[in-house]
Amino acid sequence: MRLRTDIFVSALLRRVFAMGDFAAVEKKGAEEAGAIFIRQHFRDGLETLFGPAPQSFFDEEDNGDRLFEIRMERQEPEMVRELLERERKFDPDLWIVELETGDAAALLTLAAEKKKSPF
C-alpha cells in the first residue's frame, strides 16, 4: 500500500526545510492518490521537472515507494510550465511542488536508479 499523497508531500516539505532549503506547494491535488510533479528551481533560473514514473517501472515486489523520473532537466521555466499545463488538462488532481534545493534527486526514489527514498 502506498503512502497518501498529502502525507508524502508534507514529509518532503519538512525534509527540505530541515536542510535549510525552500519548498512550497504550487497546486494541491487529490489527497489520497494524486500524481506528484516536482519543480526544482536553480539559481541560474533554470528548472528540472520530476514526474511520476510510468507503471512499467513498478513490479510486484515494490514496497509502495513513489517512483519518479526526470521529465525535463535544466530547462527554461516557460517550457516546464507548458508541460505542466498539458499534464493538468489530462489530470486535474495532480500536485505540483516547488523546491529550491541543490539536489532534489537525493530526496526522491528515481525509477531509473531505484534509489531508496528517505521516506
Side-chain angles (χ1 to χ4, degrees), residues 56-90:
S56 61
F57 281 100
F58 294 87
D59 56 33
E60 289 153 20
E61 297 175 10
D62 280 330
N63 61 0
D65 279 350
R66 289 185 178 269
L67 296 179
F68 292 88
E69 67 176 358
I70 295 174
R71 297 280 180 95
M72 301 181 96
E73 192 164 11
R74 298 191 71 89
Q75 298 293 318
E76 293 294 329
E78 187 57 36
M79 292 178 67
V80 174
R81 259 185 245 112
E82 288 172 7
L83 177 63
L84 287 172
E85 281 303 315
R86 288 193 303 269
E87 292 289 344
R88 279 185 189 156
K89 289 176 184 173
F90 178 74

Side-chain angles (χ1 to χ4, degrees), residues 5 7 21-22 42 44 51 53-54 58 69 76 78 81 91-92 94-95 103-104 107-108 119:
T5 301
I7 295 171
D21 293 326
F22 176 77
F42 295 97
D44 62 3
F58 294 87
E69 67 176 358
E76 293 294 329
E78 187 57 36
R81 259 185 245 112
D91 180 8
L94 63 80
W95 289 66
D103 189 12
L107 299 169
L108 307 170
F119 302 113

Side-chain angles (χ1 to χ4, degrees), residues 1 18 24 27 48 66 74 85 93 95 99-100 103 117:
M1 185 168 179
K27 182 187 178 303
T48 292
R66 289 185 178 269
R74 298 191 71 89
E85 281 303 315
D93 291 330
W95 289 66
L99 305 180
E100 290 183 9
D103 189 12
S117 170

